[in-house]
PDB file of all heavy atoms in Angstrom:
ATOM      1  N   ILE A 572       7.689 -86.320 -10.817  1.00  0.00           N
ATOM      2  CA  ILE A 572       7.542 -87.508 -11.641  1.00  0.00           C
ATOM      3  C   ILE A 572       6.934 -87.040 -12.966  1.00  0.00           C
ATOM      4  O   ILE A 572       5.865 -86.438 -12.974  1.00  0.00           O
ATOM      5  CB  ILE A 572       6.598 -88.541 -10.989  1.00  0.00           C
ATOM      6  CG1 ILE A 572       6.989 -88.828  -9.539  1.00  0.00           C
ATOM      7  CG2 ILE A 572       6.507 -89.804 -11.830  1.00  0.00           C
ATOM      8  CD1 ILE A 572       8.329 -89.445  -9.343  1.00  0.00           C
ATOM      9  N   VAL A 573       7.625 -87.304 -14.082  1.00  0.00           N
ATOM     10  CA  VAL A 573       7.180 -86.845 -15.397  1.00  0.00           C
ATOM     11  C   VAL A 573       6.838 -88.061 -16.265  1.00  0.00           C
ATOM     12  O   VAL A 573       7.619 -89.008 -16.341  1.00  0.00           O
ATOM     13  CB  VAL A 573       8.288 -86.018 -16.106  1.00  0.00           C
ATOM     14  CG1 VAL A 573       7.806 -85.512 -17.451  1.00  0.00           C
ATOM     15  CG2 VAL A 573       8.763 -84.877 -15.223  1.00  0.00           C
ATOM     16  N   ILE A 574       5.684 -88.028 -16.904  1.00  0.00           N
ATOM     17  CA  ILE A 574       5.313 -89.091 -17.839  1.00  0.00           C
ATOM     18  C   ILE A 574       6.017 -88.797 -19.163  1.00  0.00           C
ATOM     19  O   ILE A 574       5.763 -87.780 -19.802  1.00  0.00           O
ATOM     20  CB  ILE A 574       3.784 -89.157 -18.046  1.00  0.00           C
ATOM     21  CG1 ILE A 574       3.054 -89.287 -16.711  1.00  0.00           C
ATOM     22  CG2 ILE A 574       3.427 -90.294 -19.006  1.00  0.00           C
ATOM     23  CD1 ILE A 574       3.490 -90.442 -15.846  1.00  0.00           C
ATOM     24  N   LEU A 575       6.925 -89.680 -19.576  1.00  0.00           N
ATOM     25  CA  LEU A 575       7.697 -89.479 -20.799  1.00  0.00           C
ATOM     26  C   LEU A 575       7.003 -90.073 -22.012  1.00  0.00           C
ATOM     27  O   LEU A 575       6.970 -89.457 -23.075  1.00  0.00           O
ATOM     28  CB  LEU A 575       9.092 -90.078 -20.644  1.00  0.00           C
ATOM     29  CG  LEU A 575       9.933 -89.511 -19.500  1.00  0.00           C
ATOM     30  CD1 LEU A 575      11.248 -90.266 -19.399  1.00  0.00           C
ATOM     31  CD2 LEU A 575      10.165 -88.023 -19.680  1.00  0.00           C
ATOM     32  N   SER A 576       6.469 -91.285 -21.867  1.00  0.00           N
ATOM     33  CA  SER A 576       5.782 -91.921 -22.988  1.00  0.00           C
ATOM     34  C   SER A 576       4.987 -93.113 -22.485  1.00  0.00           C
ATOM     35  O   SER A 576       5.194 -93.605 -21.387  1.00  0.00           O
ATOM     36  CB  SER A 576       6.778 -92.374 -24.054  1.00  0.00           C
ATOM     37  OG  SER A 576       7.604 -93.413 -23.557  1.00  0.00           O
ATOM     38  N   THR A 577       4.075 -93.563 -23.335  1.00  0.00           N
ATOM     39  CA  THR A 577       3.333 -94.793 -23.071  1.00  0.00           C
ATOM     40  C   THR A 577       3.355 -95.635 -24.335  1.00  0.00           C
ATOM     41  O   THR A 577       3.351 -95.108 -25.445  1.00  0.00           O
ATOM     42  CB  THR A 577       1.869 -94.505 -22.667  1.00  0.00           C
ATOM     43  OG1 THR A 577       1.229 -93.814 -23.726  1.00  0.00           O
ATOM     44  CG2 THR A 577       1.790 -93.684 -21.396  1.00  0.00           C
ATOM     45  N   ASP A 578       3.405 -96.949 -24.147  1.00  0.00           N
ATOM     46  CA  ASP A 578       3.401 -97.877 -25.275  1.00  0.00           C
ATOM     47  C   ASP A 578       2.715 -99.150 -24.799  1.00  0.00           C
ATOM     48  O   ASP A 578       3.334 -99.981 -24.129  1.00  0.00           O
ATOM     49  CB  ASP A 578       4.824 -98.157 -25.749  1.00  0.00           C
ATOM     50  CG  ASP A 578       4.868 -99.076 -26.958  1.00  0.00           C
ATOM     51  OD1 ASP A 578       3.838 -99.201 -27.653  1.00  0.00           O
ATOM     52  OD2 ASP A 578       5.939 -99.670 -27.212  1.00  0.00           O
ATOM     53  N   GLY A 579       1.432 -99.274 -25.073  1.00  0.00           N
ATOM     54  CA  GLY A 579       0.690-100.430 -24.575  1.00  0.00           C
ATOM     55  C   GLY A 579       0.615-100.394 -23.062  1.00  0.00           C
ATOM     56  O   GLY A 579       0.185 -99.409 -22.479  1.00  0.00           O
ATOM     57  N   ASP A 580       1.088-101.470 -22.431  1.00  0.00           N
ATOM     58  CA  ASP A 580       1.073-101.561 -20.966  1.00  0.00           C
ATOM     59  C   ASP A 580       2.286-100.913 -20.313  1.00  0.00           C
ATOM     60  O   ASP A 580       2.402-100.915 -19.094  1.00  0.00           O
ATOM     61  CB  ASP A 580       1.019-103.031 -20.525  1.00  0.00           C
ATOM     62  CG  ASP A 580      -0.313-103.681 -20.831  1.00  0.00           C
ATOM     63  OD1 ASP A 580      -1.293-102.937 -21.057  1.00  0.00           O
ATOM     64  OD2 ASP A 580      -0.385-104.918 -20.855  1.00  0.00           O
ATOM     65  N   THR A 581       3.201-100.371 -21.102  1.00  0.00           N
ATOM     66  CA  THR A 581       4.441 -99.805 -20.565  1.00  0.00           C
ATOM     67  C   THR A 581       4.354 -98.287 -20.508  1.00  0.00           C
ATOM     68  O   THR A 581       3.971 -97.633 -21.471  1.00  0.00           O
ATOM     69  CB  THR A 581       5.640-100.207 -21.445  1.00  0.00           C
ATOM     70  OG1 THR A 581       5.708-101.632 -21.493  1.00  0.00           O
ATOM     71  CG2 THR A 581       6.937 -99.666 -20.882  1.00  0.00           C
ATOM     72  N   VAL A 582       4.707 -97.755 -19.355  1.00  0.00           N
ATOM     73  CA  VAL A 582       4.757 -96.303 -19.160  1.00  0.00           C
ATOM     74  C   VAL A 582       6.191 -95.941 -18.799  1.00  0.00           C
ATOM     75  O   VAL A 582       6.771 -96.522 -17.879  1.00  0.00           O
ATOM     76  CB  VAL A 582       3.809 -95.860 -18.027  1.00  0.00           C
ATOM     77  CG1 VAL A 582       3.911 -94.365 -17.784  1.00  0.00           C
ATOM     78  CG2 VAL A 582       2.375 -96.258 -18.324  1.00  0.00           C
ATOM     79  N   ARG A 583       6.800 -95.020 -19.539  1.00  0.00           N
ATOM     80  CA  ARG A 583       8.150 -94.541 -19.219  1.00  0.00           C
ATOM     81  C   ARG A 583       7.986 -93.275 -18.403  1.00  0.00           C
ATOM     82  O   ARG A 583       7.259 -92.363 -18.799  1.00  0.00           O
ATOM     83  CB  ARG A 583       8.945 -94.255 -20.482  1.00  0.00           C
ATOM     84  CG  ARG A 583       9.263 -95.540 -21.250  1.00  0.00           C
ATOM     85  CD  ARG A 583      10.189 -95.309 -22.413  1.00  0.00           C
ATOM     86  NE  ARG A 583      11.508 -94.972 -21.883  1.00  0.00           N
ATOM     87  CZ  ARG A 583      12.270 -93.980 -22.347  1.00  0.00           C
ATOM     88  NH1 ARG A 583      11.878 -93.235 -23.346  1.00  0.00           N
ATOM     89  NH2 ARG A 583      13.434 -93.742 -21.814  1.00  0.00           N
ATOM     90  N   ILE A 584       8.656 -93.241 -17.257  1.00  0.00           N
ATOM     91  CA  ILE A 584       8.590 -92.064 -16.397  1.00  0.00           C
ATOM     92  C   ILE A 584       9.989 -91.533 -16.152  1.00  0.00           C
ATOM     93  O   ILE A 584      10.977 -92.266 -16.231  1.00  0.00           O
ATOM     94  CB  ILE A 584       7.905 -92.373 -15.044  1.00  0.00           C
ATOM     95  CG1 ILE A 584       8.694 -93.418 -14.253  1.00  0.00           C
ATOM     96  CG2 ILE A 584       6.472 -92.806 -15.241  1.00  0.00           C
ATOM     97  CD1 ILE A 584       8.215 -93.593 -12.837  1.00  0.00           C
ATOM     98  N   GLY A 585      10.064 -90.246 -15.873  1.00  0.00           N
ATOM     99  CA  GLY A 585      11.313 -89.616 -15.459  1.00  0.00           C
ATOM    100  C   GLY A 585      11.120 -89.106 -14.049  1.00  0.00           C
ATOM    101  O   GLY A 585      10.016 -88.687 -13.674  1.00  0.00           O
ATOM    102  N   ILE A 586      12.167 -89.159 -13.265  1.00  0.00           N
ATOM    103  CA  ILE A 586      12.100 -88.714 -11.873  1.00  0.00           C
ATOM    104  C   ILE A 586      13.158 -87.642 -11.663  1.00  0.00           C
ATOM    105  O   ILE A 586      14.343 -87.893 -11.866  1.00  0.00           O
ATOM    106  CB  ILE A 586      12.327 -89.885 -10.899  1.00  0.00           C
ATOM    107  CG1 ILE A 586      11.283 -90.974 -11.159  1.00  0.00           C
ATOM    108  CG2 ILE A 586      12.283 -89.403  -9.451  1.00  0.00           C
ATOM    109  CD1 ILE A 586      11.559 -92.279 -10.461  1.00  0.00           C
TER     110      ILE A 586
END
Side-chain angles (χ1 to χ4, degrees):
I572 309 297
V573 182
I574 306 305
L575 301 176
S576 66
T577 60
D578 182 20
D580 290 342
T581 302
V582 177
R583 292 187 69 225
I584 62 170
I586 302 169

